[in-house]
Amino acid sequence: MHIVVIATECAPVVKVGGLADMVSGLGRALAQRGHVVELILPWYDTLRREQIQGLNVARADLPIPWWDGVVHCTVHFGFVHGLPCHFVEPHSRDNFFNRGPLYGFPDDPLRFAFFCKAAMEYLFVTDRRPEIIHTHNWQTALAAVLLYEVYQPHGMNNCRVCHTIHDFRHQGVCTTEVLKATGLGRPKYFLDRERLQDDADPRMLNLAKAGIVYGNFVTTVSRRHAWEARFSDQGFGLGHALHMHQNKFGGILNGLDGDLWNPEADPLIPHLFSADDLAGKERNKEALRRRLRLTAEEKPLIAYVGRLDPQKGASLVRHALFTAVWNQAQFVLLGTGSDGNVNDTFVHLKHHLADNTDCHLEIGCDEELAHLIFAGADMCIVPSLREPCGLAQMIALRYGTVPIVRAVGGLADTVFDWDYAPLPREQRNGFVFEHADNTGIESALHRALGLYRERRDLWRQLLVTGMKTDLSWRHPAGDYLNVYEFIRHK
Ligand code: GLC
């Protein structure tokens, strides 16, 4: 099958969040199965160009009609981790992709509408007729609208769109000027409840909704989150659209990139280990303690690795830290704050606890330290209030670090509680709590610490189960292929 992925991130060349890992992970899994996978990405000023192999110019001039004129683009081509990628560089004073941060500008809808238009035009003029176009999030949802409203009658009629929503909160709500700029026009036609009209504000377009309406199949990144999006406030107002299109909506859990995250062959950790030989894990714990100057006493080590923001349950992270220290455990945190207040809280906490040799807070990004923490810690907390899929719990499982998670989204689909999960013991791999409050995380932590201290044999069984849980892209890639096959013949 020929699959073209239109996305705004792809690891490791451009990454803000988990979207980047998902795009490259799925792409490579599909390519390994013999499918032809190509990616189209914006040419950002912040691209890590050293991660692109064989970079050259694929098309020196790609003129894109825009408003009443034309924007000339250069399309660059190269391989990212073996995947062929096309990068669109517009030459215009709007300076769409040379702004440092990827997102967060008032003209984001226009910037990414332009990208969609350029991507579709590129496919069209280079005679690419993929069976599947896979788009991600509201930023690229307009590609499906352009396909059906503009390109299909011009020979792209065998092409189908799979659209994945990684986060329902951000929806690209915007005025109808996007229609004018892209040449879609017809504001009356599109500003219709059945099409692109925002359900909350009838004067506005909603690009996330565009993906739901025009995509031939719509996925989100876990089954639990598909349910949450439809039946809880986590759909952020898109519940009605999802209801109308429920027959083409479902959840597929992301996989974990086994080349990047593999304790048996990870170049970033000092001691390799496996489910059959855990000696290296012990030694990584010692290495981690030495590096962060923690006391070398026999104490369980609890970690948090991730963004420090309210949605990730930052206040519960703080509570877990104190719970750990009060209960003769150690705590290690690695994260950055996107929210000013939360960041301040943790910076303050770091100073407050500077003399405590049972905990360490590292505010910032450090890829190598992240690997060492996952390899060396005994437990890892993921107390998110909202988590469509989540990566930390999967990495933790893979590295024999027992996850303690809140029962939400992808966390609920990957972690099964040691005491309560309705599954046989051999399949339970962590601890889960329901309520996003201090009591919730505290009770899960106590259960985990209890098992660790009193039944080391069972603890070992628990972490080995986690390491053996299949989190690879094998199943998800198969699920996406089934989706592709299903829509292809419609
Ligand atoms: C978003 C979600 C996260 C998910 C990622 C990749 O960032 O918040 O839960 O893992 O997308 O799909």
Side-chain angles (χ1 to χ4, degrees), residues 3-6 22 26 131-137 140 144 147-148 159-165 211 214-219 252 479-480 483-484 487:
I3 302 146
V4 168
V5 182
I6 306 181
M22 189 278 190
L26 176 60
E131 278 101 353
I132 297 294
I133 294 178
H134 196 151
T135 53
H136 297 269
N137 285 346
T140 55
L147 174 68
Y148 283 102
C159 188
R160 298 288 177 272
V161 177
C162 173
H163 180 65
T164 298
I165 301 174
Y214 280 82
N216 298 97
F217 203 90
V218 181
T219 69
I252 299 178
D479 290 344
Y480 276 106
V483 167
Y484 298 163
I487 56 182

Side-chain angles (χ1 to χ4, degrees), residues 17-19 22 166-167 221 254 311-312 387-391:
L19 165 66
M22 189 278 190
H166 299 252
D167 184 346
V221 288
N254 291 340
Q311 185 204 310
K312 294 282 180 188
E387 195 66 82
C389 177
L391 199 56

Side-chain angles (χ1 to χ4, degrees), residues 291-307:
R291 169 149 175 196
L292 302 180
R293 298 202 181 84
L294 299 181
T295 330
E297 272 174 68
E298 177 28 47
K299 286 181 175 178
L301 203 160
I302 305 170
Y304 175 79
V305 180
R307 256 188 3 251

